[in-house]
Amino acid sequence: MNGQTGWLPTLMPIGIVALVVALRWWRGQKMRRLRLETMWVLPALFTVIAAMLFSAMPPSGWGWALCVVTLGIGLALGWQRGRLMRIEIDPATHRINHRPSPAALLFIVALLLVRTAIRQAMAHGGATMLHLNAATVTDALMAMGWGLIVAQRIEMFLRARALLAAARIKA
């Protein structure tokens, strides 16, 4: 009986991730409209949330350095993820469409695997070995998430705007 219940906590997250990946893969096959005028909304919302979290319990000491490093990692990863998105302009209507590439989905799966590995390391004493507390780790992950979202949106906005300008010149 113990062997059966021992597998459930392991298999449940794997099943959920597999379901989410399958749904995202299926949804990712369709082109979706990309509105340049609303691309700022998600980064702005996430900026407010991150600012509230940082102001409520700011990092201290090396926590700031960790946040700066993870912010840089998030910015680099977000820029790369934004580059993986397919952006197309309809030549007749100049409507901007995008489709996440399969590589972008695999990129997110890789990030989830890294996050899981970090959680496992933290659960087995990795945080005390590095002298980190849960708030510092949360701040660092928030900084990385903020960088990822902002850089992805900026990269996609700049590329879509350039493609739209080129399509208008051709028209």
Side-chain angles (χ1 to χ4, degrees), residues 2-169:
N2 284 343
Q4 291 176 345
T5 59
W7 282 98
L8 187 60
T10 303
L11 292 179
M12 185 84 92
I14 291 171
I16 291 170
V17 168
L19 178 65
V20 169
V21 168
L23 288 172
R24 299 264 318 181
W25 188 278
W26 177 70
R27 281 187 58 213
Q29 302 304 313
K30 297 184 282 186
M31 291 297 281
R32 292 183 284 196
R33 186 166 185 188
L34 180 65
R35 292 183 173 93
L36 292 180
E37 62 275 3
T38 61
M39 289 191 73
W40 63 272
V41 173
L42 185 61
L45 179 65
F46 206 80
T47 298
V48 169
I49 292 169
M52 287 175 22
L53 287 174
F54 273 100
S55 67
M57 193 181 308
S60 60
W62 286 103
W64 281 111
L66 180 63
C67 288
V68 168
V69 169
T70 57
L71 173 63
I73 292 169
L75 289 169
L77 293 175
W79 195 266
Q80 181 59 35
R81 185 163 193 271
R83 287 184 54 223
L84 293 173
M85 298 291 179
R86 294 181 192 152
I87 299 176
E88 298 175 2
I89 309 291
D90 184 321
T93 64
H94 294 153
R95 180 178 167 176
I96 306 168
N97 298 306
H98 82 289
R99 176 183 344 174
S101 74
L105 181 61
L106 293 175
F107 188 74
I108 291 297
V109 170
L111 287 177
L112 286 172
L113 291 173
V114 169
R115 179 182 173 269
T116 302
I118 290 170
R119 279 182 68 188
Q120 290 298 321
M122 296 288 292
H124 292 92
T128 55
M129 191 169 53
L130 296 173
H131 305 291
L132 299 174
N133 60 26
T136 303
V137 172
T138 301
D139 289 342
L141 292 175
M142 179 59 69
M144 184 166 64
W146 184 86
L148 192 112
I149 290 169
V150 169
Q152 177 185 344
R153 292 295 178 119
I154 289 172
E155 198 286 331
M156 289 176 66
F157 175 83
L158 294 174
R159 193 159 38 103
R161 190 176 64 175
L163 289 169
L164 184 59
R168 286 180 176 158
I169 289 172

